[in-house]
Amino acid sequence: MITTLDQIVERVKGTPNKRLAVAVAEDPHTIEAVGRAVKEDLVHATLTGDEKAIKKVAAEAKVDAGLFEILHEPDKGKALSLAIGLVRDKKADFLMKGLLDSSLYIRGIIDKEKGLLPPGKLLSHVTVIQAPAWKKLIVCGDVAVIPAPDLEAKIAILNYAIGVAHKLGIEKPKAVLLSAVEKVNPKMASTTESAIIAKMADRGQIKGAIVDGPLALDVAFSEESAKIKGLVSPVAGDADILVFPSIEAGNIFFKTCTYLAKAELGAVVAGATCPCVLTSRGDSEDTKFYSIALASLLS
């Protein structure tokens, strides 16, 4: 079982290199992370965007631009289409966002004619967090794509997270459907939806994980908290997966982990024909590098 982000990197190093297409690559941290991934023998990389700008950023970041194939396209929309086209034409195994608005990146992925989203599928952001105070990786969603997931969306988010957990070698991940309380309250939609999903899992409609909810965050990580509250739960104090009630809750959680707990993370968008790396323009080189490694593992 993989329990750290560095173990993901090591696992990917033992497999054939995947091909990465980076859309609008003239971003310093993106160039640094992709350069590191190429040098550490994780990927072969093709960058789209303004070639002069890419080479300038690479030089300033002290990254050898010769590590990449560069396809010159100064228009951001066209550069994104070019990168997506590489995936559609089987010339790349996964996609990554560079200096590009996330909304434009997502629109390109979900484009019905030239995108990467199969009919009937839902895009969801899956984050893998390594927090210093926790014994293993935390797989969670959705913190960046689905603003207010309904029951159907939460089921999709959970299934994507289960798939990632399996790739990490966790045969039966323990999934927590989060809310503010443990009792079902019809006035709190997150509690009723969590209870429905947990019962679906009990009856085999959701497979591959042990699922419980609604549960508050303390119960997910503390068996003692569960005992104090008088709760009996198969996931208490041993969470592998967190499903958040809303994008606000997820976003606040992962940023709290990052900025106050000094957690490291990798993240991808799931649901498309390939993993799509979606990180913030303000994310560190490490976050982008681990996201590349995670996408390589999932490809």
Side-chain angles (χ1 to χ4, degrees):
M1 185 174 75
I2 293 173
T3 58
T4 69
L5 294 170
D6 284 332
Q7 288 175 7
I8 295 177
V9 175
E10 292 306 311
R11 180 70 58 84
V12 171
K13 284 182 179 180
T15 63
N17 284 4
K18 299 293 172 58
R19 300 163 299 171
L20 166 62
V22 185
V24 193
E26 52 260 32
D27 167 69
H29 287 328
T30 299
I31 291 284
E32 290 167 350
V34 176
R36 180 176 165 191
V38 172
K39 290 178 73 174
E40 293 198 24
D41 207 27
L42 270 61
V43 297
H44 298 299
T46 301
L47 280 49
T48 70
D50 187 309
E51 183 172 7
K52 184 177 180 180
I54 290 172
K55 288 183 175 179
K56 181 175 183 292
V57 169
E60 291 172 349
K62 298 182 180 178
V63 176
D64 179 9
L67 293 170
F68 322 116
E69 178 185 4
I70 301 173
L71 300 181
H72 178 64
E73 177 49 72
D75 181 274
K76 290 190 175 185
K78 291 179 180 178
L80 172 60
S81 296
L82 189 57
I84 290 173
L86 292 173
V87 176
R88 288 176 60 92
D89 294 338
K90 309 297 183 185
K91 295 178 180 178
D93 298 300
F94 66 101
L95 186 70
M96 181 176 185
K97 180 178 81 73
L99 192 62
L100 187 69
D101 287 342
S102 295
S103 59
L104 181 60
Y105 184 67
I106 294 295
R107 283 201 300 272
I109 294 170
I110 66 175
D111 185 279
K112 291 182 179 180
E113 293 183 4
K114 298 179 179 179
L116 301 172
L117 186 66
K121 296 288 278 187
L122 181 72
L123 281 187
S124 176
H125 194 266
V126 182
T127 309
V128 177
I129 299 175
Q130 179 181 313
W134 192 232
K135 58 192 174 184
K136 52 187 174 177
L137 295 172
I138 307 164
V139 182
C140 54
D142 182 305
V143 309
V145 173
I146 306 174
D150 57 12
L151 177 64
E152 183 179 6
K154 286 178 181 176
I155 292 169
I157 291 167
L158 174 59
N159 281 323
Y160 290 142
I162 292 171
V164 172
H166 287 169
K167 284 286 191 177
L168 296 174
I170 309 169
E171 292 183 8
K172 205 74 170 178
K174 295 179 179 179
V176 177
L177 303 163
L178 288 168
S179 188
V181 295
E182 287 80 25
K183 292 183 179 180
V184 175
N185 182 344
K187 294 182 179 180
M188 295 178 67
S190 64
T191 65
T192 57
E193 289 167 352
S194 295
I196 290 168
I197 295 169
K199 180 55 68 175
M200 290 174 68
D202 288 344
R203 294 183 173 179
Q205 291 175 267
I206 296 169
K207 301 182 184 301
I210 301 167
V211 183
D212 199 13
L215 294 174
L217 185 68
D218 57 335
V219 175
F221 297 110
S222 171
E223 193 173 353
E224 182 182 5
S225 289
K227 288 179 180 178
I228 291 170
K229 292 182 176 183
L231 293 171
V232 177
S233 171
V235 303
D238 199 26
D240 296 293
I241 293 171
L242 302 179
V243 176
F244 299 109
S246 68
I247 198 170
E248 293 93 343
N251 197 272
I252 290 167
F253 174 83
F254 105 85
K255 286 183 178 174
T256 300
C257 286
T258 302
Y259 288 98
L260 296 184
K262 302 301 181 184
E264 297 286 355
L265 62 91
V268 298
V269 173
T273 56
C274 71
C276 300
V277 178
L278 172 60
T279 54
S280 168
R281 282 171 289 184
D283 280 336
S284 69
E285 175 198 337
D286 282 343
T287 292
K288 293 175 189 280
F289 174 72
Y290 287 130
S291 298
I292 293 169
L294 177 63
S296 298
L297 180 72
L298 300 176
S299 296

